[in-house]
Amino acid sequence: MTPAVSTTAASGAQPDYTSDEMMSIAAARALEDGKRCFVGIGLPSTAANVARRTHAPGLVLIYESGTLGSKPDVLPSSIGDGVLAETADAVIGVPEVFNYWLQPGRIDVGFLGAAQLDRFGNINTTVIGDDYADPKVRLPGAGGAPEIAASCREVFVVVRQSARSFVEKVDFVTSVGHGSGKGDREALGLPGAGPTLVITDLGVLRPDPETAELVLTQLHPGVAVDDVRAATGWELRVSDELTRTEAPTAAELSTLRTLKEASQ
Amino acid sequence: MTPAVSTTAASGAQPDYTSDEMMSIAAARALEDGKRCFVGIGLPSTAANVARRTHAPGLVLIYESGTLGSKPDVLPSSIGDGVLAETADAVIGVPEVFNYWLQPGRIDVGFLGAAQLDRFGNINTTVIGDDYADPKVRLPGAGGAPEIAASCREVFVVVRQSARSFVEKVDFVTSVGHGSGKGDREALGLPGAGPTLVITDLGVLRPDPETAELVLTQLHPGVAVDDVRAATGWELRVSDELTRTEAPTAAELSTLRTLKEASQ
Amino acid sequence: MADIVSLTDGVGELVRDGDVVALEGFTHLIPHAAGREIIRQGRKDLTLVRMTPDIVYDQLIGAGCARKLIFSWGGNPGVGSLHRFRDAVQHAWPVPLEIEEHSHAGMANRYVAGASGLPFAVLRGYRGTDLPEHTATIKWITCPFTGEELAAVPALNPDVSIIHAQRADRAGNVQMWGLVGVQKEAVLAAGRSLVTVEEVVDELEPVVGQVVLPHWAVTAVAEAPRGAHPSYAQGYYERDNDYYKYWDSIGRDRETFRGWVRDEVLAEGSATEATGDKEGVR
Amino acid sequence: MADIVSLTDGVGELVRDGDVVALEGFTHLIPHAAGREIIRQGRKDLTLVRMTPDIVYDQLIGAGCARKLIFSWGGNPGVGSLHRFRDAVQHAWPVPLEIEEHSHAGMANRYVAGASGLPFAVLRGYRGTDLPEHTATIKWITCPFTGEELAAVPALNPDVSIIHAQRADRAGNVQMWGLVGVQKEAVLAAGRSLVTVEEVVDELEPVVGQVVLPHWAVTAVAEAPRGAHPSYAQGYYERDNDYYKYWDSIGRDRETFRGWVRDEVLAEGSATEATGDKEGVR
């Protein structure tokens, strides 16, 4: 394995952005112009709105609260902010969002967060602990995620990386990633490609085309492979073609920060 | 059997209204104020609009084209006239009409026409003749009628009476009345009471409470029982408590004629 | 992004011989101009789908475009029968017409299932009627919770759906209002879609009761002013009730109907070509 | 005709101990005033139904009104956890809370089935997840046409559904606009319904995007100005994002929460009684 980039931190200089900012901007960059994106609140919404203001003005934002083509001028603080309805091409009821727009596979990218994520991109947002009836931590639950993960053409996951959240096997499969490996989605009859991209505060992971195991393919500036290994609860594989994320541009940072300030 | 009224025509004097007008007005009278009425076009629509302008200003008109609470100022010439949408409390899509409003039994009265009607109130609007694949006459088909007949709390049928249209058994059951008799609706799981009233240009028929067979219970002015028998394709039973329809009032006639003229 | 095309190109590119084609519009916004364009382009062997095959399908059936009709009510609303439809069913003229017959509730739910990416829909319908005996696409299904038996109908997924709307913007976002029928479902259920509109505008001013179809859910938009005539477009023109009565006299007789195709449908096409009118209809 | 009642009477008459109760409103138009009134009236053993049991149900659960929760996402949106919900699930405080857990798609379809008078709904959902193992109300059903297996969920038919809307007229016709969530379905699925509104007006001026519930589909309407606070009512007031953050500090601790019930919920009731305010809320 010959990583294409240096696998240690590039420089000791303090960057002028946070790792969360790098994550949001990396996630924004992954969204191609013109795509239809089903947006969860929090990190996904931030990234999608940065993308719309930078390289992807034609990005179509779909929120499960019932808006198609929202163009918010501030970052919504919930998935149901008034600004999402006021700026949408169409406002629809919640059953219609799921039945007419998500379920038939009309959405290109489902943008999800996760409390726990495992080696095959399966997502847990339900309970931490082995006993569902007596959980260590009760999480919010499924929301729209199981069907977003099933039906979108592909899924991007944005999540802060730690050995606690990146586990060998999730305690509860709320939303299916690649199941127990390549071929599982097809066997289950899940139409979308599943998680094709996991963007964290340390780098980017992609499923191995042969096994569907998540593999580190990209490091954010200043991050070493060992940093990512330390923040991963399974024996992390690193791609032969590991690349280095370009640092946020001044324009990207300013867009992100303006959005965030406006939403305070 | 001692009919409560004279069973021969009451008078030889020419009335100042037609038998169709008597039918529409008798049908209008049957609609109680405040009821929710699912209205088919033609005779039912005329009657419902007369009712709304006379004794039943609070009658709620529902058209399958997607209007709840239409208050047309002219007689619509189709079930989808613009005036129905413009005057409605709510305009909804066609699937919603059937799924959210008709199917759960929210409608009090379904108001239907018929090409053929049988002794148990079953309705045919599909084909005349024994062979569905090679019909004598191809009729328009089911439209909303099967589910209107199944789900409304009760059904009123408005139809011109003749030995050709009032048959022992319909050639095709498009919409179920009382099936082959009392108890059939319950056995089929049809929630509504079925046809409780059949209003014709000659009189009114109601299902016998014991057998569900349609029985003549009311004669329009100037009509004799024998006239109705001659216009019925089965051996018609006459109620012991046969009554005589009151002739249209001047107000009823003027309302009906004004409506009809305005819609020319 | 929906393409903005001429009606001629829209029908030419999206409607193919043998296709399953739905033209929807419940009394309001019936895509008549598109129907005439299909006749002009001589499409054959179509399976026509429509809840209310009124005179728009009487025309297509009479012109021999269809081999099958999937429907729930075939009449001339407020007038009487569809004579071309009857002639095809009763006498196989000009070609035999297979029929697949449902109720409105069944058809509406078939579109809903199609729009929802489901293979079937469930409804309380058909029970006790003679329809299931003659229509293979009505089956029964048992509720896994209550054991109750209900009707099931398969999804409708036309190869192409055509609707008429009041307006679109230049990106192809479509706006309609008034009675909206099953048009959204028909478009979302279809593999391809063509929306004819009264006008293409710079900006869609919001209207009470509007339904908006985003440009990415529509294949093509064609301007066709008065394209719903003789039905109506709320806010643009009224229903031409006289035309529906007039149609009875045209449709009643085979030769009169042929004359209508020659004089009114084909001539409309020639006139359009001659003037180079890009909308393709008057 | 819907009755126009006070909030106190509406909740008093329509919500009964042991009922299955849905309060709906997806981020927008959450019926918070009605939720506090339920706490004041000391209802017990409720089965609470709601797609997003956010702070309105954290309050009801913390106050001990509920024995069961049927839901799909229980969090404080944009802030974090629901501490009263967590405390009930993890420590049975103040009473044990049974849960029945679905996805949004499943819950939405359960309401649709309920509103449609069907015993169940079909969706492409849950496949491969651990939810069916723990939720008895997820089963599988086979398409009678294609043989494909899909998820089935039973209808939700609450004893009573409560929603908040912008306006009603004096007959009880209800008008709402903006994000309308599953409120129509929740009302139509329920045996009884209570709609709190910002104001009762003489006439409902049409609004773009409106959903109108006719008076005969609603049991009772109660005026409750600012009745959705801290959520929002489009056209009336904005979402109080600070309150959602503030709630984190209240809900986090049992005693602080009890103080909130005493000082803000019960006191609101006394203030109302003292002033004889017929709306029953500030």
Side-chain angles (χ1 to χ4, degrees):
Chain A
M1 190 146 53
T2 317
V5 296
S6 158
T7 57
T8 54
S11 133
Q14 200 67 10
D16 60 349
Y17 54 87
T18 67
S19 58
D20 264 15
E21 286 176 333
M22 182 70 258
M23 171 168 59
S24 292
I25 287 165
R29 288 176 186 163
L31 294 169
E32 284 171 53
D33 198 16
K35 294 283 185 182
R36 285 96 82 161
C37 180
F38 204 107
V39 189
I41 204 60
L43 297 171
S45 183
T46 306
N49 279 286
V50 169
R52 225 179 49 78
R53 273 173 190 69
T54 52
H55 65 285
L59 191 69
V60 178
L61 307 188
I62 293 146
Y63 286 84
E64 67 192 14
S65 55
T67 69
L68 304 177
S70 286
K71 295 167 269 296
D73 46 6
V74 295
L75 264 189
S77 55
S78 82
I79 51 160
D81 270 22
V83 67
L84 297 176
E86 285 156 13
T87 62
D89 292 325
V91 178
I92 55 182
V94 165
E96 188 184 324
V97 176
F98 287 99
N99 291 345
Y100 284 7
W101 299 92
L102 177 64
Q103 184 166 263
R106 295 182 215 285
I107 313 295
D108 297 307
V109 180
F111 218 153
L112 295 173
Q116 264 189 346
L117 182 84
D118 73 18
R119 199 169 146 184
F120 290 104
N122 302 297
I123 292 172
N124 175 13
T125 55
T126 304
V127 286
I128 303 293
D130 289 338
D131 187 354
Y132 173 79
D134 184 18
K136 269 192 239 163
V137 183
R138 174 66 229 192
L139 301 167
E147 286 77 23
I148 294 171
S151 296
C152 289
R153 292 185 194 167
E154 55 185 330
V155 173
F156 296 172
V157 186
V158 200
V159 55
R160 292 186 191 94
Q161 193 159 0
S162 76
R164 234 176 95 217
S165 58
F166 275 56
V167 296
E168 173 72 30
K169 200 169 173 349
V170 286
D171 294 342
F172 189 102
V173 179
T174 312
S175 306
V176 179
H178 299 285
S180 55
K182 186 76 183 170
D184 254 28
R185 290 186 66 90
E186 291 81 349
L188 288 167
L190 302 178
T196 53
L197 211 54
V198 175
I199 300 136
T200 82
D201 50 345
L202 301 177
V204 174
L205 296 85
R206 288 188 175 82
D208 181 298
E210 304 295 314
T211 63
E213 179 184 334
L214 290 178
V215 171
L216 181 68
T217 60
Q218 193 175 324
L219 279 173
H220 293 332
V223 178
V225 165
D226 283 348
D227 298 337
V228 188
R229 286 213 162 99
T232 306
W234 70 85
E235 204 169 316
L236 180 68
R237 285 184 47 219
V238 179
S239 166
D240 294 352
E241 281 132 36
L242 187 69
T243 60
R244 179 70 72 179
T245 313
E246 274 184 53
T249 66
E252 285 168 335
L253 273 176
S254 122
T255 301
L256 173 61
R257 288 170 184 170
T258 307
L259 264 176
K260 289 221 148 200
E261 267 159 36
S263 68
Q264 289 311 301
Chain B
M1 190 146 56
T2 317
V5 296
S6 158
T7 58
T8 54
S11 134
Q14 200 65 11
D16 60 348
Y17 54 87
T18 67
S19 58
D20 265 15
E21 286 176 332
M22 182 70 258
M23 170 168 61
S24 292
I25 287 165
R29 288 175 187 163
L31 294 168
E32 285 172 51
D33 197 18
K35 294 282 185 181
R36 285 97 82 164
C37 181
F38 203 107
V39 189
I41 204 62
L43 297 171
S45 183
T46 307
N49 279 286
V50 169
R52 225 180 49 80
R53 272 172 190 72
T54 51
H55 65 285
L59 191 68
V60 178
L61 307 188
I62 294 147
Y63 287 83
E64 68 193 13
S65 55
T67 69
L68 303 178
S70 286
K71 295 167 272 294
D73 46 7
V74 294
L75 265 188
S77 56
S78 83
I79 52 160
D81 270 22
V83 66
L84 298 175
E86 285 157 12
T87 62
D89 292 326
V91 178
I92 56 182
V94 164
E96 188 184 324
V97 176
F98 288 99
N99 291 346
Y100 283 7
W101 299 92
L102 178 65
Q103 184 166 265
R106 294 182 215 284
I107 313 296
D108 296 308
V109 180
F111 218 154
L112 294 174
Q116 264 189 347
L117 182 83
D118 74 18
R119 197 170 149 185
F120 291 104
N122 301 298
I123 292 172
N124 175 15
T125 55
T126 303
V127 286
I128 303 293
D130 289 338
D131 187 353
Y132 173 79
D134 184 17
K136 270 191 241 163
V137 184
R138 174 66 229 192
L139 301 167
E147 287 77 23
I148 293 171
S151 297
C152 290
R153 292 184 195 169
E154 53 185 332
V155 173
F156 297 171
V157 185
V158 200
V159 55
R160 291 186 192 94
Q161 194 158 358
S162 76
R164 233 176 97 218
S165 59
F166 275 56
V167 297
E168 172 73 30
K169 199 168 172 350
V170 287
D171 293 342
F172 189 102
V173 178
T174 312
S175 305
V176 179
H178 299 286
S180 55
K182 186 76 183 169
D184 254 28
R185 290 186 66 92
E186 292 81 348
L188 288 167
L190 302 177
T196 54
L197 211 54
V198 175
I199 299 137
T200 82
D201 49 347
L202 302 178
V204 174
L205 296 85
R206 287 189 174 81
D208 181 300
E210 304 296 313
T211 64
E213 179 184 332
L214 290 178
V215 171
L216 181 68
T217 60
Q218 192 174 325
L219 279 174
H220 292 332
V223 178
V225 165
D226 283 348
D227 299 337
V228 188
R229 284 213 164 101
T232 306
W234 70 84
E235 204 169 317
L236 180 69
R237 284 184 49 217
V238 180
S239 166
D240 294 352
E241 282 132 32
L242 186 70
T243 59
R244 178 71 71 178
T245 312
E246 275 185 52
T249 66
E252 285 169 335
L253 274 176
S254 121
T255 302
L256 173 61
R257 288 171 184 170
T258 307
L259 263 176
K260 287 221 150 199
E261 268 158 36
S263 68
Q264 291 311 304
Chain C
M1 179 100 83
D3 295 321
I4 311 283
V5 300
S6 70
L7 178 61
T8 308
D9 288 350
V11 168
E13 285 162 28
L14 298 179
V15 183
R16 300 160 197 169
D17 286 352
D19 270 358
V20 178
V21 181
L23 272 67
E24 279 297 349
F26 201 93
T27 309
H28 183 212
L29 294 174
I30 301 175
H32 270 277
R36 291 191 302 270
E37 183 60 32
I38 292 172
I39 295 175
R40 272 194 294 278
Q41 299 200 12
R43 286 292 173 278
K44 292 275 170 274
D45 293 325
L46 302 179
T47 293
L48 293 177
V49 186
R50 179 166 166 76
M51 291 182 66
T52 57
D54 34 30
I55 69 186
V56 65
Y57 274 15
D58 212 33
Q59 296 171 351
L60 284 160
I61 290 166
C65 301
R67 55 163 288 275
K68 182 174 177 182
L69 176 68
I70 301 175
F71 76 111
S72 40
W73 191 85
N76 182 344
V79 178
S81 299
L82 294 178
H83 302 289
R84 296 297 93 232
F85 163 59
R86 272 196 178 184
D87 205 8
V89 172
Q90 298 178 203
H91 311 110
W93 192 93
V95 291
L97 183 72
E98 188 189 340
I99 59 173
E100 179 179 325
E101 188 164 7
H102 280 266
S103 67
H104 279 352
M107 284 292 283
N109 277 294
R110 294 187 67 185
Y111 278 121
V112 168
S116 302
L118 291 175
F120 72 106
V122 175
L123 70 153
R124 293 186 183 282
Y126 301 111
R127 179 72 67 187
T129 75
D130 286 340
L131 284 160
E133 192 188 322
H134 300 284
T135 300
T137 46
I138 301 169
K139 295 196 175 184
W140 307 100
I141 193 165
T142 304
C143 171
F145 301 98
T146 64
E148 196 182 352
E149 202 181 52
L150 296 117
V153 288
L156 275 171
N157 291 107
D159 294 309
V160 56
S161 285
I162 303 180
I163 67 168
H164 187 75
Q166 280 98 336
R167 297 199 287 233
D169 65 18
R170 296 188 198 284
N173 294 295
V174 169
Q175 182 191 39
M176 56 186 158
W177 64 90
L179 297 172
V180 293
V182 289
Q183 285 99 301
K184 180 190 267 192
E185 287 78 12
V187 166
L188 295 182
R192 309 181 288 276
S193 57
L194 172 63
V195 182
T196 58
V197 295
E198 288 299 319
E199 51 177 343
V200 173
V201 297
D202 289 331
E203 185 134 2
L204 299 174
E205 284 297 315
V207 175
V208 172
Q210 72 182 15
V211 165
V212 173
L213 286 171
H215 62 82
W216 45 272
V218 171
T219 313
V221 169
E223 222 172 25
R226 291 187 66 77
H229 178 270
S231 85
Y232 70 107
Q234 193 162 326
Y236 286 79
Y237 45 91
E238 300 283 313
R239 190 170 188 270
D240 185 350
N241 294 322
D242 288 340
Y243 192 96
Y244 283 80
K245 291 173 198 155
Y246 161 74
W247 184 255
D248 193 76
S249 69
I250 301 297
R252 198 174 279 276
D253 178 80
R254 292 178 184 175
E255 285 316 307
T256 315
F257 172 78
R258 278 182 164 150
W260 174 84
V261 170
R262 185 184 58 237
D263 298 342
E264 299 200 33
V265 180
L266 303 183
E268 178 184 43
S270 313
T272 304
E273 275 172 43
T275 61
D277 175 353
K278 87 169 171 50
E279 275 79 56
V281 290
R282 275 165 299 163
Chain D
M1 180 100 84
D3 295 321
I4 311 283
V5 300
S6 71
L7 178 61
T8 307
D9 289 350
V11 168
E13 285 162 29
L14 298 179
V15 183
R16 299 159 197 170
D17 285 353
D19 270 357
V20 177
V21 181
L23 273 67
E24 278 297 349
F26 202 93
T27 309
H28 182 213
L29 293 173
I30 301 174
H32 270 276
R36 291 192 301 271
E37 184 60 33
I38 293 170
I39 295 175
R40 273 196 292 279
Q41 298 200 13
R43 287 291 174 279
K44 290 276 172 270
D45 293 324
L46 302 179
T47 292
L48 293 177
V49 186
R50 182 167 165 73
M51 292 182 66
T52 56
D54 34 31
I55 68 185
V56 65
Y57 274 15
D58 211 34
Q59 296 171 351
L60 283 160
I61 290 165
C65 302
R67 56 163 287 276
K68 182 174 177 182
L69 175 69
I70 301 175
F71 76 110
S72 40
W73 191 86
N76 182 343
V79 178
S81 299
L82 294 178
H83 303 289
R84 296 296 93 232
F85 162 60
R86 272 196 177 184
D87 204 7
V89 173
Q90 298 177 205
H91 310 109
W93 192 93
V95 290
L97 183 72
E98 189 189 337
I99 60 172
E100 180 179 326
E101 187 164 7
H102 279 265
S103 67
H104 278 353
M107 284 292 283
N109 278 293
R110 295 187 68 184
Y111 278 122
V112 168
S116 301
L118 292 175
F120 71 105
V122 175
L123 70 153
R124 293 187 184 281
Y126 301 111
R127 180 72 66 187
T129 75
D130 287 340
L131 283 161
E133 191 188 325
H134 300 284
T135 301
T137 47
I138 301 169
K139 294 194 174 184
W140 306 100
I141 193 164
T142 303
C143 171
F145 301 97
T146 63
E148 196 182 351
E149 201 181 54
L150 297 117
V153 288
L156 275 170
N157 290 108
D159 294 309
V160 56
S161 285
I162 304 179
I163 66 167
H164 187 76
Q166 279 98 338
R167 297 199 288 233
D169 65 18
R170 296 187 199 285
N173 294 297
V174 169
Q175 183 191 39
M176 56 185 160
W177 64 89
L179 297 172
V180 293
V182 288
Q183 285 99 302
K184 178 190 267 192
E185 288 77 12
V187 166
L188 295 182
R192 306 181 289 276
S193 57
L194 172 64
V195 182
T196 58
V197 294
E198 288 299 318
E199 51 177 344
V200 174
V201 297
D202 290 330
E203 186 134 1
L204 299 174
E205 284 298 315
V207 175
V208 172
Q210 71 182 13
V211 165
V212 172
L213 286 171
H215 61 83
W216 45 272
V218 170
T219 313
V221 168
E223 220 172 31
R226 290 188 66 78
H229 178 270
S231 85
Y232 71 107
Q234 194 162 323
Y236 286 80
Y237 45 91
E238 299 283 313
R239 190 169 189 270
D240 185 350
N241 294 322
D242 288 341
Y243 192 97
Y244 283 80
K245 291 174 196 151
Y246 161 76
W247 183 254
D248 193 77
S249 69
I250 301 297
R252 196 174 280 277
D253 179 79
R254 293 178 183 175
E255 286 315 308
T256 314
F257 172 77
R258 278 181 163 149
W260 174 84
V261 171
R262 185 183 60 236
D263 299 341
E264 300 198 34
V265 181
L266 303 182
E268 178 185 41
S270 313
T272 304
E273 275 171 44
T275 61
D277 175 353
K278 86 166 171 55
E279 276 79 56
V281 289
R282 274 165 299 163

